[in-house]
mmCIF file of all heavy atoms in Angstrom:
data_model
loop_
_atom_site.group_PDB
_atom_site.id
_atom_site.type_symbol
_atom_site.label_atom_id
_atom_site.label_comp_id
_atom_site.label_asym_id
_atom_site.label_seq_id
_atom_site.Cartn_x
_atom_site.Cartn_y
_atom_site.Cartn_z
ATOM 1 N N GLN X 42 112.372 89.779 99.850
ATOM 2 C CA GLN X 42 112.272 90.745 98.826
ATOM 3 C C GLN X 42 112.307 90.203 97.470
ATOM 4 O O GLN X 42 113.225 89.345 97.223
ATOM 5 C CB GLN X 42 113.323 91.814 99.045
ATOM 6 C CG GLN X 42 113.229 92.623 100.369
ATOM 7 C CD GLN X 42 112.092 93.539 100.365
ATOM 8 O OE1 GLN X 42 112.031 94.431 99.552
ATOM 9 N NE2 GLN X 42 111.123 93.276 101.227
ATOM 10 N N ALA X 43 111.503 90.744 96.551
ATOM 11 C CA ALA X 43 111.664 90.407 95.132
ATOM 12 C C ALA X 43 111.796 91.770 94.548
ATOM 13 O O ALA X 43 110.902 92.438 94.064
ATOM 14 C CB ALA X 43 110.419 89.731 94.511
ATOM 15 N N PHE X 44 113.065 92.332 94.542
ATOM 16 C CA PHE X 44 113.357 93.675 94.304
ATOM 17 C C PHE X 44 114.539 93.712 93.363
ATOM 18 O O PHE X 44 115.534 93.004 93.512
ATOM 19 C CB PHE X 44 113.757 94.469 95.613
ATOM 20 C CG PHE X 44 113.987 95.991 95.375
ATOM 21 C CD1 PHE X 44 113.004 96.820 95.238
ATOM 22 C CD2 PHE X 44 115.255 96.423 95.305
ATOM 23 C CE1 PHE X 44 113.206 98.187 95.068
ATOM 24 C CE2 PHE X 44 115.541 97.752 95.117
ATOM 25 C CZ PHE X 44 114.491 98.653 94.915
ATOM 26 N N CYS X 45 114.498 94.625 92.390
ATOM 27 C CA CYS X 45 115.582 94.746 91.380
ATOM 28 C C CYS X 45 116.459 95.958 91.770
ATOM 29 O O CYS X 45 116.147 97.050 91.369
ATOM 30 C CB CYS X 45 114.951 94.947 89.925
ATOM 31 S SG CYS X 45 116.219 95.227 88.700
ATOM 32 N N LEU X 46 117.523 95.684 92.489
ATOM 33 C CA LEU X 46 118.412 96.721 92.765
ATOM 34 C C LEU X 46 119.317 97.067 91.619
ATOM 35 O O LEU X 46 119.941 98.157 91.503
ATOM 36 C CB LEU X 46 119.271 96.336 93.984
ATOM 37 C CG LEU X 46 120.024 97.543 94.877
ATOM 38 C CD1 LEU X 46 118.941 98.397 95.471
ATOM 39 C CD2 LEU X 46 120.841 96.903 95.866
ATOM 40 N N ALA X 47 119.390 96.162 90.669
ATOM 41 C CA ALA X 47 120.284 96.320 89.444
ATOM 42 C C ALA X 47 119.695 97.239 88.430
ATOM 43 O O ALA X 47 120.275 97.617 87.484
ATOM 44 C CB ALA X 47 120.745 95.017 88.976
ATOM 45 N N CYS X 48 118.376 97.541 88.579
ATOM 46 C CA CYS X 48 117.590 98.218 87.529
ATOM 47 C C CYS X 48 118.222 99.686 87.546
ATOM 48 O O CYS X 48 118.611 100.214 88.601
ATOM 49 C CB CYS X 48 116.146 98.345 87.910
ATOM 50 S SG CYS X 48 115.251 96.756 87.623
ATOM 51 N N PRO X 49 118.351 100.282 86.318
ATOM 52 C CA PRO X 49 118.969 101.607 86.165
ATOM 53 C C PRO X 49 118.434 102.620 87.202
ATOM 54 O O PRO X 49 117.214 102.697 87.403
ATOM 55 C CB PRO X 49 118.650 102.002 84.808
ATOM 56 C CG PRO X 49 118.533 100.754 84.061
ATOM 57 C CD PRO X 49 117.943 99.780 85.054
ATOM 58 N N ALA X 50 119.328 103.301 87.901
ATOM 59 C CA ALA X 50 118.908 104.277 88.974
ATOM 60 C C ALA X 50 117.965 105.299 88.489
ATOM 61 O O ALA X 50 116.992 105.717 89.231
ATOM 62 C CB ALA X 50 120.149 104.898 89.529
ATOM 63 N N GLY X 51 118.144 105.788 87.332
ATOM 64 C CA GLY X 51 117.307 106.835 86.787
ATOM 65 C C GLY X 51 115.824 106.439 86.637
ATOM 66 O O GLY X 51 114.932 107.198 86.588
ATOM 67 N N ILE X 52 115.640 105.114 86.488
ATOM 68 C CA ILE X 52 114.295 104.589 86.329
ATOM 69 C C ILE X 52 113.553 104.440 87.706
ATOM 70 O O ILE X 52 112.468 104.748 87.847
ATOM 71 C CB ILE X 52 114.349 103.281 85.526
ATOM 72 C CG1 ILE X 52 114.836 103.511 84.154
ATOM 73 C CG2 ILE X 52 112.952 102.598 85.471
ATOM 74 C CD1 ILE X 52 115.037 102.287 83.248
ATOM 75 N N VAL X 53 114.402 103.927 88.636
ATOM 76 C CA VAL X 53 113.810 103.619 89.898
ATOM 77 C C VAL X 53 113.745 104.832 90.829
ATOM 78 O O VAL X 53 112.928 104.839 91.742
ATOM 79 C CB VAL X 53 114.653 102.578 90.627
ATOM 80 C CG1 VAL X 53 113.973 102.132 91.870
ATOM 81 C CG2 VAL X 53 114.814 101.324 89.702
ATOM 82 N N ALA X 54 114.410 105.928 90.468
ATOM 83 C CA ALA X 54 114.556 107.025 91.343
ATOM 84 C C ALA X 54 113.301 107.721 91.785
ATOM 85 O O ALA X 54 113.305 108.215 92.964
ATOM 86 C CB ALA X 54 115.477 108.035 90.633
ATOM 87 N N PRO X 55 112.229 107.860 91.031
ATOM 88 C CA PRO X 55 111.136 108.582 91.374
ATOM 89 C C PRO X 55 110.590 108.376 92.813
ATOM 90 O O PRO X 55 110.204 109.293 93.523
ATOM 91 C CB PRO X 55 110.019 108.345 90.456
ATOM 92 C CG PRO X 55 110.856 108.080 89.230
ATOM 93 C CD PRO X 55 112.107 107.435 89.651
ATOM 94 N N ALA X 56 110.535 107.119 93.208
ATOM 95 C CA ALA X 56 110.005 106.816 94.611
ATOM 96 C C ALA X 56 110.850 107.381 95.694
ATOM 97 O O ALA X 56 110.488 107.445 96.823
ATOM 98 C CB ALA X 56 109.763 105.327 94.699
ATOM 99 N N ALA X 57 112.148 107.647 95.364
ATOM 100 C CA ALA X 57 113.086 108.050 96.410
ATOM 101 C C ALA X 57 113.568 109.567 96.349
ATOM 102 O O ALA X 57 114.603 109.860 96.756
ATOM 103 C CB ALA X 57 114.278 107.082 96.372
ATOM 104 N N THR X 58 112.705 110.364 95.680
ATOM 105 C CA THR X 58 113.141 111.704 95.496
ATOM 106 C C THR X 58 112.570 112.672 96.409
ATOM 107 O O THR X 58 112.033 113.730 96.042
ATOM 108 C CB THR X 58 112.893 112.120 94.010
ATOM 109 O OG1 THR X 58 111.551 111.829 93.694
ATOM 110 C CG2 THR X 58 113.779 111.460 93.059
ATOM 111 N N GLN X 59 112.514 112.362 97.676
ATOM 112 C CA GLN X 59 111.985 113.236 98.672
ATOM 113 C C GLN X 59 112.898 114.317 99.076
ATOM 114 O O GLN X 59 114.072 114.094 99.285
ATOM 115 C CB GLN X 59 111.584 112.401 99.921
ATOM 116 C CG GLN X 59 110.480 111.416 99.645
ATOM 117 C CD GLN X 59 109.188 112.085 99.922
ATOM 118 O OE1 GLN X 59 108.990 113.030 100.574
ATOM 119 N NE2 GLN X 59 108.130 111.572 99.170
ATOM 120 N N ARG X 60 112.427 115.567 99.213
ATOM 121 C CA ARG X 60 113.217 116.690 99.634
ATOM 122 C C ARG X 60 112.714 116.930 101.054
ATOM 123 O O ARG X 60 111.572 117.176 101.303
ATOM 124 C CB ARG X 60 113.006 117.882 98.759
ATOM 125 C CG ARG X 60 113.795 119.047 99.136
ATOM 126 C CD ARG X 60 113.278 120.283 98.428
ATOM 127 N NE ARG X 60 113.703 120.340 97.001
ATOM 128 C CZ ARG X 60 112.907 120.565 96.034
ATOM 129 N NH1 ARG X 60 111.608 120.706 96.235
ATOM 130 N NH2 ARG X 60 113.328 120.582 94.822
ATOM 131 N N SER X 61 113.608 116.794 102.010
ATOM 132 C CA SER X 61 113.115 116.788 103.421
ATOM 133 C C SER X 61 114.040 117.635 104.259
ATOM 134 O O SER X 61 115.289 117.676 103.979
ATOM 135 C CB SER X 61 112.989 115.411 103.952
ATOM 136 O OG SER X 61 112.643 115.349 105.295
ATOM 137 N N ALA X 62 113.628 118.184 105.351
ATOM 138 C CA ALA X 62 114.446 118.816 106.344
ATOM 139 C C ALA X 62 115.395 117.897 107.111
ATOM 140 O O ALA X 62 116.465 118.252 107.461
ATOM 141 C CB ALA X 62 113.568 119.580 107.361
ATOM 142 N N ALA X 63 114.914 116.627 107.238
ATOM 143 C CA ALA X 63 115.718 115.555 107.934
ATOM 144 C C ALA X 63 115.933 114.480 106.908
ATOM 145 O O ALA X 63 115.007 113.941 106.357
ATOM 146 C CB ALA X 63 114.933 115.043 109.131
ATOM 147 N N PRO X 64 117.193 114.143 106.635
ATOM 148 C CA PRO X 64 117.379 113.080 105.576
ATOM 149 C C PRO X 64 116.940 111.754 106.078
ATOM 150 O O PRO X 64 116.950 111.504 107.242
ATOM 151 C CB PRO X 64 118.976 113.040 105.494
ATOM 152 C CG PRO X 64 119.439 113.664 106.740
ATOM 153 C CD PRO X 64 118.444 114.607 107.183
ATOM 154 N N PRO X 65 116.353 110.861 105.093
ATOM 155 C CA PRO X 65 115.905 109.570 105.472
ATOM 156 C C PRO X 65 117.009 108.777 106.031
ATOM 157 O O PRO X 65 118.246 108.838 105.599
ATOM 158 C CB PRO X 65 115.310 109.017 104.169
ATOM 159 C CG PRO X 65 116.153 109.775 103.036
ATOM 160 C CD PRO X 65 116.437 111.161 103.633
ATOM 161 N N GLY X 66 116.583 107.857 106.944
ATOM 162 C CA GLY X 66 117.584 106.961 107.434
ATOM 163 C C GLY X 66 118.632 107.578 108.434
ATOM 164 O O GLY X 66 119.606 107.001 108.690
ATOM 165 N N GLU X 67 118.144 108.713 109.138
ATOM 166 C CA GLU X 67 119.072 109.420 109.972
ATOM 167 C C GLU X 67 119.424 108.474 111.153
ATOM 168 O O GLU X 67 120.532 108.478 111.568
ATOM 169 C CB GLU X 67 118.423 110.682 110.414
ATOM 170 C CG GLU X 67 119.347 111.529 111.253
ATOM 171 C CD GLU X 67 118.684 112.884 111.657
ATOM 172 O OE1 GLU X 67 117.497 113.021 111.275
ATOM 173 O OE2 GLU X 67 119.345 113.630 112.289
ATOM 174 N N GLY X 68 118.457 107.834 111.664
ATOM 175 C CA GLY X 68 118.764 106.893 112.830
ATOM 176 C C GLY X 68 119.732 105.806 112.463
ATOM 177 O O GLY X 68 120.510 105.439 113.276
ATOM 178 N N VAL X 69 119.583 105.291 111.300
ATOM 179 C CA VAL X 69 120.495 104.190 110.762
ATOM 180 C C VAL X 69 121.898 104.693 110.717
ATOM 181 O O VAL X 69 122.826 104.027 111.134
ATOM 182 C CB VAL X 69 119.902 103.708 109.420
ATOM 183 C CG1 VAL X 69 120.971 102.723 108.783
ATOM 184 C CG2 VAL X 69 118.641 102.992 109.535
ATOM 185 N N LEU X 70 122.096 105.841 110.122
ATOM 186 C CA LEU X 70 123.361 106.374 109.976
ATOM 187 C C LEU X 70 123.963 106.668 111.346
ATOM 188 O O LEU X 70 125.155 106.536 111.540
ATOM 189 C CB LEU X 70 123.351 107.677 109.144
ATOM 190 C CG LEU X 70 122.997 107.480 107.658
ATOM 191 C CD1 LEU X 70 123.032 108.914 106.951
ATOM 192 C CD2 LEU X 70 124.134 106.638 107.047
ATOM 193 N N ALA X 71 123.177 107.152 112.271
ATOM 194 C CA ALA X 71 123.632 107.455 113.648
ATOM 195 C C ALA X 71 124.145 106.124 114.294
ATOM 196 O O ALA X 71 125.203 106.087 114.952
ATOM 197 C CB ALA X 71 122.635 108.016 114.472
#
């Protein structure tokens, strides 16, 4: 990965603003 996790959250947020009946990563959390 060449990914900037330190970039301000408000800037990176748009790609991760899904509203869904099932939260993402449900299997991972399980």
